Amino acid sequence: MTKCSAPGKMILLGEHAVVFGKPALALAIDLRITSAVKQSDQYSVNGHPMKKKHHAYISASLDEAWNGPPINIETDSEIPSGSGLGSSAAVTVSCVAAMTCVKGKVDPENVARKSFEVECRVQGRASPTDTSTSTHGYGILVSPTKQEDLLWTIEKGKHVWNIHHCEVPSLGFVVGHTGIHAATGPLVAKVRKLVETDGEARKAVERIGEIVLDGMEAVGKRDKKRIGALMDEDHSLLNTLGVGHPMLEKLVVACREHSYGAKLTGAGGGGSMIALTDETDKVAKAISAAGGTPIVVEVGCEGVRIER
Ligand code: PMV
């Protein structure tokens, strides 16, 4: 049996624009998914026969990374699914790592590449942000140009994503989960349509790209005020791209009094928001009072690893 775990992630800045080749900054969080792969008499997930429709990411991981005999995949998740915290990437990365692990070793670049292909197969369109963050851990800057601390480069169609390691200082974040499940694929498709037809949306994508680079600098300086201001601006640009939701807005507004900044994270349309704060308890209470589920998270955690 091989067992691997991989972390979820939060996108600090740059979601959606990254699909168009703009930079993004994502941080691994201390919620993980563990996948154990074991020989079996049929392909199954948690003891039930595998169904492409129900186990889309696991089944696509098999197609991408496995050509051995039938296996059962046992998964265990700490990440709420459809929450924008990268549960699909973490399940994919942990599965692909367990399927490709040779002599007790995992090759992170190979895992990141294969996992990105899996997300593309399932979602139709994706950036490698989630899967590379879940694989590498810590923090990831995705950018169209190569910079210091390059880990790997992933290309698809006319897009090139350079994945860089990013040092993450200790910062206080609270996630607010709306409880509303929102699938990433349709939201990405909606933004694509809008960007094709609307000049304001195209401008928003450009500006988000700039915000990410400013944000990198602010993270390096541990300038929480600046990071917070950039998060706020990014949030309103994401609303311009049509991926907001009244419940996300309610949670973001509720957090602002005790936060440096707050924004939706991930695909939007529901899912989760994040707030940067020194007062995690107060922010968690504000999220609960507004009807969301707060999760205080640590950022900059380890990436994919073998579990004994
Ligand atoms: O829904 P999530 O948390 O997996 O985030 C999606 C992020 C997008 O930028 C919207 C899509 C992508 O593949 O980068």
Side-chain angles (χ1 to χ4, degrees), residues 116-117 120-121 124-126 128 154-161:
F116 169 61
E117 288 302 328
C120 286
R121 275 180 199 228
R125 185 183 295 277
I154 293 183
E155 293 177 34
K156 185 114 190 151
K158 56 182 181 5
H159 294 306
V160 178
W161 294 276

Side-chain angles (χ1 to χ4, degrees), residues 42-45 48-52 55 58-59 62 71 73:
Q42 62 170 339
Y43 288 104
S44 51
V45 178
H48 302 289
M50 186 177 304
K51 295 210 173 85
K52 263 199 178 358
H55 309 117
I58 296 177
S59 147
L62 267 177
I71 46 177
I73 296 128

Side-chain angles (χ1 to χ4, degrees), residues 35 44 84 89 142 169 224 238 271 294:
S35 297
S44 51
V142 184
K224 291 187 263 187
L238 286 163

